[in-house]
Amino acid sequence: MDPFDSLLRGVHADGAAFGRSVLTPPRALRFVDGAPLTLCVPMRGEGWISHPESDKPRLVRVGEAATVRGPAPFVFSAEPRSSFAPGELRDVRRGHTGPADPAGTDHTDHLVLLVGVYHVRNLVPQRLLGALPPVLVVPDDHDCAALRDYLDAQLDAGRPGRQVVLDRLLDWLLVCTVRDWFDQPDTEAPGWYRALSDDTVGPVLRAMHDAPGRRWTLASLATRAGVSRSTLAKRFTSLVGEPPLTYLTDWRMTLAADMLAGSTATVAAVARHLGYADAFGFSAAFKRVHGMSPSAARSRSSSGRKTN
């Protein structure tokens, strides 16, 4: 498993956060539920995304997909405008944009927008979201291009399991969109993504993500890469932006925060799972990275879930 796989593993569309909307000028959709990530895919026509962190509206056409990073509200419209009258805006919460279109509705001259909303709460996928710009738009010139027609057909299908199929297809399209954006030559992709293709650093990154609980040392990681410790340290730091063991500690502490929030495992059990001989050393590392003890982080997460 590489870092990209690890970070996207917990990002999934959900049936309650999936919808299609038909827009005609001057109407627009305002996404207001604070989702960390939204995927917008025009099925017919073209539209414009207005985001408070972008200088101007971004055009998205058929054959392109866009992701929008939250939680700030943004507007998707059929016109390149950043201001709208109250009656022109329809608020979107958790992917619901209003009642479904009647059977037989003719959408030939309208913008038909497919929307997937991702409510990402764990820290692992948030590491990926932090590397994305507020709005990114990429063409469907990838392996997922054929999904568009199939997605469109599935929206009107009444077969059992339709929603699960749609959710998974949308997840697939999201992975393709983000990956293709990272692969563009002018994109400032995170160091770990660029390093995956490196013959020295790539195997080390995969090893740490495959087995974060192994008692890795700089020597054992260098052996995995087939180079000296000094060569690995220099190459890894140059490509990723931090030394190998610093990256490993940060990755372990990200996993630890999610484990503490999503399970009843004791602090000692989490420490052992992530390669620490005792809870004391683990707790010290956790506090150094997150600014609080593991117990405090668990209590804070529990309080947040009750509030939500």
Side-chain angles (χ1 to χ4, degrees):
M1 183 185 301
D2 62 43
F4 190 77
D5 293 330
S6 301
L7 299 183
L8 271 173
R9 186 168 293 272
V11 180
H12 299 292
D14 179 37
F18 187 93
R20 180 177 67 175
S21 183
V22 179
L23 290 177
T24 55
R27 297 195 176 276
L29 299 177
R30 179 172 55 193
F31 293 81
V32 296
D33 68 348
L37 186 67
T38 304
L39 178 67
C40 298
V41 185
M43 307 300 287
R44 298 181 184 89
E46 61 185 34
W48 301 79
I49 296 175
S50 299
H51 191 280
E53 296 183 38
S54 296
D55 295 335
K56 57 184 179 180
R58 294 286 304 276
L59 175 63
V60 190
R61 303 181 177 92
V62 170
E64 296 177 327
T67 67
V68 185
R69 198 185 67 215
F74 70 94
V75 172
F76 196 105
S77 62
E79 297 177 313
R81 291 195 287 151
S82 56
S83 61
F84 297 85
E88 297 173 344
L89 286 173
R90 188 195 321 168
D91 285 351
V92 178
R93 290 182 175 83
R94 296 192 179 276
H96 293 300
T97 60
D101 305 311
T105 300
D106 183 7
H107 299 151
T108 303
D109 298 325
H110 299 165
L111 164 64
V112 179
L113 176 66
L114 186 65
V115 179
V117 181
Y118 295 79
H119 291 272
V120 181
R121 294 178 177 85
N122 290 345
L123 288 185
V124 168
Q126 287 179 16
R127 287 167 63 103
L128 176 65
L129 300 190
L132 302 179
V135 180
L136 69 86
V137 179
V138 297
D140 278 353
D141 55 354
H142 46 51
D143 295 340
C144 291
L147 280 177
R148 185 176 299 274
D149 291 340
Y150 189 63
L151 275 167
D152 198 18
Q154 288 295 309
L155 285 170
D156 296 320
R159 300 180 62 189
R162 178 185 75 104
Q163 190 62 64
V164 174
V165 171
L166 290 173
D167 289 348
R168 297 302 173 264
L169 290 174
L170 201 65
D171 292 343
W172 189 2
L173 185 56
L174 175 68
V175 172
C176 292
T177 299
V178 175
R179 184 177 58 194
D180 282 6
W181 182 77
F182 278 163
D183 286 340
Q184 292 179 1
D186 57 343
T187 294
E188 293 185 9
W192 55 260
Y193 187 84
R194 297 192 302 271
L196 286 173
S197 59
D198 185 77
D199 291 340
T200 298
V201 178
V204 172
L205 282 168
R206 292 183 177 88
M208 289 191 287
H209 280 257
D210 281 338
R214 185 171 296 180
R215 302 292 176 85
W216 294 112
T217 63
L218 184 59
S220 63
L221 290 171
T223 299
R224 178 62 64 98
V227 298
S228 67
R229 287 177 294 176
S230 60
T231 297
L232 173 62
K234 182 177 180 180
R235 183 71 175 167
F236 194 103
T237 303
S238 173
L239 293 179
V240 179
E242 58 186 346
L245 296 183
T246 300
Y247 178 93
L248 175 61
T249 298
D250 190 52
W251 174 235
R252 284 172 167 172
M253 293 305 107
T254 300
L255 292 172
D258 285 349
M259 290 178 66
L260 290 166
S263 75
T264 58
T266 64
V267 172
V270 174
R272 289 192 298 271
H273 181 79
L274 293 175
Y276 286 82
D278 58 75
F280 179 79
F282 166 76
S283 296
F286 190 95
K287 188 171 185 178
R288 185 169 62 251
V289 171
H290 294 295
M292 65 182 74
S293 68
S295 298
R298 168 169 277 168
S299 298
R300 182 176 180 179
S301 175
S302 178
S303 299
R305 288 196 301 270
K306 291 177 181 178
T307 300
N308 294 334

